[in-house]
Amino acid sequence: MLAARREWGSRGEGPPLNKTLLEVKGLKKHFASKKGWFGSAEYVQAVNGISLTVHEGETLSIVGESGCGKSTTGRCLLRLLKPTSGEIWFRGKDLTKLTAKEMRAMRSQLQMVFQDPFATLNPKLTIRKILEEPLVAQQVPKEQRSSLIEETVRIVGLNVSHLDRYPHQFSGGQRQRIGIARALMLRPQLIVADEPVSALDVSIQSQILNLLQDLQEQFGMTYIFISHDLGVVEHISDRVAVMYLGEIVELSDKAALFQNPLHPYTRALISAIPVSDPDEKKERIILQGDLPSPANPPAGCRFHPRCQSCMDICRTEVPKETTVNGQMVRCHLYS
Ligand SMILES: Nc1ncnc2c1ncn2[C@@H]1O[C@H](COP(=O)(O)OP(=O)(O)O)[C@@H](O)[C@H]1O
Ligand code: SF4
Ligand SMILES: [Mg+2]
């Protein structure tokens, strides 16, 4: 299987492992929404200046409550949405500066897996046709397509006999395997997986997570894994970025983050993970209130209205990024 990827062309020859594959600098996405008072424009600050680096072959997770800007970030990274500002460097090119034609050529290396594959699989097409579409778009010669399609369905744990069926004939877990197969068709380097197991039963979730991990081992795939579920994130990540209201508030290795969370928001999220051992005592930090509107974010630290450690400075001054023992954190407790 690995050989097939190499045969595929130069895509298999990326930068060596542990090298930066993607670098994001100050990414913003503000959506213009309805006019505010007196006709002034109002902007939803869905993503408000995030910076991060993704290394080849790793899984970097982005975790946070629903509405914090995870999907918008993922879509901007693949240029499915046009960022308001910022830079996205991938293999020496700033994706934000590419023309539509240049981006089409780049698309084979950057793919997305969605939460609900059913919504994105055309119900009128057989699986074979669905998997052929990316090959047609990238002008892969016709005689190569069948063997690639058959190889890819086997890689994701489906049978070649499934190819002539339609999406509605599959279970949720199988449909996500098809969604993953579609993302793999062009042998990408980077996959952004947006809540890929959130719609699945818990027993099926682990099968799909294991599949993603196997693919990474076999093909050196790099993942940006988006989830609201820290339990899932703990299973799959190498590093974790915690997102709150459009900003990354903490980013570190998984072990450090789970053993020694620094940001009060990360601490609250981790305290809410259910424990399997009934003897293990854990004090749960209850988050007060809901996520504020990104159209009207709180001044100073965006988390301050919900923070148990809030100080005077937090209400007026935006905390800067600080590094503590290799963990990036954005909180006045550390500045
Ligand atoms: N097309 C859009 N127009 C206006 N607001 C949007 C649009 N897409 C997302 N938003 C808003 O941006 C914020 C972040 O959304 P999203 O990225 O989907 O969050 P998440 O994936 O973390 O749940 C939310 O407040 C959402 O309502
Ligand atoms: S900056 Fe202040 S309000 Fe924000 S998380 Fe830190 S302590 Fe809490
Ligand atoms: Mg989302």
Side-chain angles (χ1 to χ4, degrees):
M1 288 178 216
L2 192 58
R5 184 171 182 256
R6 291 217 178 95
E7 275 165 28
W8 190 248
S10 60
R11 277 182 271 271
E13 303 159 10
L17 285 172
N18 300 324
K19 287 280 163 68
T20 297
L21 182 65
L22 185 86
E23 188 168 12
V24 182
K25 296 182 184 172
L27 180 71
K28 286 189 184 179
K29 179 65 186 177
H30 293 179
F31 295 104
S33 73
K34 61 177 177 21
K35 299 268 178 178
W37 291 102
F38 309 115
S40 59
E42 197 177 79
Y43 289 94
V44 177
Q45 301 176 20
V47 178
N48 197 46
I50 71 168
S51 299
L52 51 85
T53 301
V54 186
H55 305 132
E56 187 173 353
E58 77 163 342
T59 300
L60 174 77
S61 291
I62 301 179
V63 69
E65 284 161 288
S66 176
C68 73
K70 305 180 296 296
S71 295
T72 306
T73 302
R75 284 164 189 268
C76 285
L77 295 184
L78 300 195
R79 277 279 307 270
L80 300 174
L81 278 173
K82 191 170 172 15
T84 305
S85 60
E87 298 171 13
I88 303 167
W89 290 90
F90 179 76
R91 306 191 79 189
K93 292 198 169 119
D94 180 0
L95 300 183
T96 65
K97 303 279 190 312
L98 298 189
T99 62
K101 192 174 168 207
E102 288 168 330
M103 194 58 218
R104 247 196 318 280
M106 198 60 109
R107 190 125 340 269
S108 61
Q109 300 183 46
L110 304 156
Q111 291 287 310
M112 190 133 182
V113 172
F114 298 92
Q115 173 174 353
D116 179 7
F118 203 43
T120 57
L121 298 175
N122 185 335
K124 297 200 181 106
L125 296 184
T126 60
I127 304 313
R128 186 184 298 279
K129 282 282 172 210
I130 287 170
L131 298 183
E132 194 177 12
E133 276 183 333
L135 301 178
V136 174
Q138 293 289 331
Q139 298 172 339
V140 174
K142 207 166 180 180
E143 59 276 14
Q144 291 179 16
R145 291 183 206 158
S146 278
S147 59
L148 273 165
I149 290 169
E150 288 172 14
E151 183 183 36
T152 311
V153 288
R154 285 196 201 99
I155 289 172
V156 300
L158 294 172
N159 296 322
V160 172
S161 63
H162 288 133
L163 282 170
D164 297 311
R165 298 188 194 165
Y166 292 85
H168 74 269
Q169 294 174 286
F170 293 91
S171 67
Q174 285 175 318
R175 283 202 287 264
Q176 193 53 289
R177 287 177 194 270
I178 297 164
I180 292 168
R182 183 176 52 183
L184 288 180
M185 285 313 300
L186 296 165
R187 307 306 189 247
Q189 285 221 300
L190 176 71
I191 289 186
V192 175
D194 188 358
E195 307 263 12
V197 299
S198 303
L200 303 175
D201 291 345
V202 173
S203 58
I204 311 292
Q205 284 190 359
S206 49
Q207 290 175 17
I208 296 293
L209 293 174
N210 291 341
L211 170 64
L212 289 170
Q213 284 180 319
D214 289 348
L215 293 170
Q216 187 167 55
E217 269 171 36
Q218 284 184 58
F219 303 114
M221 208 84 69
T222 305
Y223 296 133
I224 294 178
F225 187 92
I226 293 174
S227 179
H228 68 279
D229 184 341
L230 263 179
V232 168
V233 162
E234 188 173 17
H235 185 92
I236 198 159
S237 318
D238 294 303
R239 291 187 304 141
V240 181
V242 179
M243 199 164 173
Y244 186 79
L245 210 56
E247 296 176 346
I248 290 176
V249 296
E250 183 159 4
L251 197 165
S252 77
D253 284 349
K254 174 179 73 177
L257 189 106
F258 280 89
Q259 281 160 23
N260 183 30
L262 297 177
H263 197 281
Y265 180 59
T266 317
R267 286 187 190 157
L269 290 182
I270 288 178
S271 81
I273 301 176
V275 287
S276 44
D277 178 358
D279 294 333
E280 193 181 324
K281 293 266 183 302
K282 195 157 123 175
E283 194 186 338
R284 180 156 182 196
I285 304 166
I286 307 287
L287 272 176
Q288 306 294 328
D290 295 325
L291 191 72
S293 165
N296 188 19
C301 168
R302 290 182 164 207
F303 185 58
H304 89 253
R306 302 172 79 190
C307 182
Q308 293 186 344
S309 311
C310 181
M311 305 170 282
D312 284 346
I313 187 177
C314 306
R315 296 189 182 88
T316 51
E317 277 192 38
V318 177
K320 293 194 178 71
E321 281 187 12
T322 324
T323 303
V324 181
N325 299 330
Q327 288 172 250
M328 188 290 279
V329 62
R330 210 184 247 269
C331 168
H332 288 303
L333 291 173
Y334 305 93
S335 52

